[in-house]
Amino acid sequence: DAKTTQPNSMESNEEEPVHLPCNHSTISGTDYIHWYRQLPSQGPEYVIHGLTSNVNNRMASLAIAEDRKSSTLILHRATLRDAAVYYCIPLGSYGGATNKLIFGTGTLLAVQP
Amino acid sequence: EPEVTQTPSHQVTQMGQEVILRCVPISNHLYFYWYRQILGQKVEFLVSFYNNEISEKSEIFDDQFSVERPDGSNFTLKIRSTKLEDSAMYFCASSEWGGIDNQPQHFGDGTRLSIL
């Protein structure tokens, strides 16, 4: 399993963009990069995933480095509701196998009003 | 938006007793998972389930644990003889597919299990 490194914590102001980095230098060529977040007292929530190209959805954008050894989750305008722990999880694409998620310690994002 | 629902939200049980945690996955999903999170620690994978069989299980998922899909909607985790160290949040998740499509997993809000 690929090892990930994320900052323990980050702080942002409301309505400003937030860039959450993740290093995954041991990622394999077929691993997707998934991001989940966990709001206080809730279960993890899927945010976004990608393989090589940058990805956008209604929640966030994912920028993946050309060498795939790092990625950045971008929240374009942080809200108080975005305060959560954010997890970067490389995930193998195995034919027929299950995709167990291996959570690290993630980045605790605080959003100030 | 469809949700994974878990009951009860909080379960208090005496050590040595059996406990069953219940989950209703999203209706068209085919893969089901249990994770747990001990207070202050990481979320840990326990087991995945597909086609009425366990697909994969972790070292934590020993003989005291079992999973079942007793009908078309429920997915349960049974702990036969609870220990103090089983106290944790237990999360159920489901995904439309597993494997090659890398489908996102949708999580419930968990059951807090407290062993006395």
Side-chain angles (χ1 to χ4, degrees):
Chain A
D1 299 319
K3 179 177 165 54
T4 60
T5 303
Q6 297 181 253
N8 288 332
S9 63
M10 291 184 65
E11 208 169 275
S12 172
N13 294 319
E14 203 175 4
E15 299 194 5
E16 289 186 356
V18 183
H19 290 231
L20 295 158
C22 179
N23 285 324
H24 32 76
S25 58
T26 61
I27 195 170
S28 81
T30 55
D31 283 354
Y32 282 73
I33 299 147
H34 283 240
W35 284 79
Y36 282 76
R37 71 181 185 181
Q38 188 174 19
L39 278 64
S41 302
Q42 293 188 26
E45 176 186 27
Y46 167 78
V47 178
I48 199 166
H49 76 281
L51 184 62
T52 55
S53 305
N54 295 344
V55 184
N56 300 296
N57 66 19
R58 62 179 178 82
M59 288 181 72
S61 295
L62 177 59
I64 301 171
E66 201 169 320
D67 63 6
R68 294 188 6 99
K69 293 185 177 180
S70 65
S71 61
T72 302
L73 179 71
I74 302 164
L75 307 179
H76 295 286
R77 291 178 73 233
T79 69
L80 296 177
R81 198 196 170 275
D82 292 321
V85 179
Y86 286 79
Y87 302 99
C88 158
I89 304 174
L91 195 56
S93 178
Y94 313 116
T98 63
N99 282 327
K100 64 182 179 185
L101 294 171
I102 300 175
F103 290 83
T105 53
T107 296
L108 176 62
L109 175 66
V111 180
Q112 304 299 329
Chain B
E1 188 170 318
E3 290 183 338
V4 174
T5 56
Q6 292 186 243
T7 55
S9 57
H10 191 190
Q11 174 79 46
V12 181
T13 301
Q14 292 288 331
M15 186 173 60
Q17 296 295 305
E18 175 183 286
V19 67
I20 297 176
L21 308 182
R22 301 179 192 281
C23 169
V24 179
I26 294 172
S27 62
N28 65 332
H29 285 188
L30 300 179
Y31 284 80
F32 313 112
Y33 310 84
W34 284 101
Y35 294 81
R36 79 172 186 190
Q37 186 173 31
I38 295 170
L39 187 64
Q41 297 187 24
K42 300 177 188 178
V43 177
E44 301 174 289
F45 169 78
L46 291 178
V47 66
S48 57
F49 190 87
Y50 168 71
N51 200 27
N52 280 322
E53 288 183 347
I54 290 174
S55 303
E56 187 172 0
K57 59 183 180 180
S58 71
E59 290 179 357
I60 303 168
F61 195 90
D62 61 22
D63 291 343
Q64 69 162 339
F65 290 91
S66 62
V67 289
E68 195 178 30
R69 188 155 163 82
D71 52 41
S73 59
N74 290 284
F75 180 51
T76 62
L77 174 69
K78 182 192 289 186
I79 309 175
R80 284 190 192 85
S81 178
T82 50
K83 300 182 273 212
L84 293 176
E85 54 264 39
D86 294 327
S87 295
M89 281 291 287
Y90 287 80
F91 295 109
C92 173
S94 69
S95 64
E96 196 170 349
W97 298 97
I100 59 173
D101 287 340
N102 254 254
Q103 288 290 308
Q105 293 179 26
H106 297 257
F107 285 76
D109 280 338
T111 292
R112 179 177 301 283
L113 178 62
S114 300
I115 308 299
L116 304 179

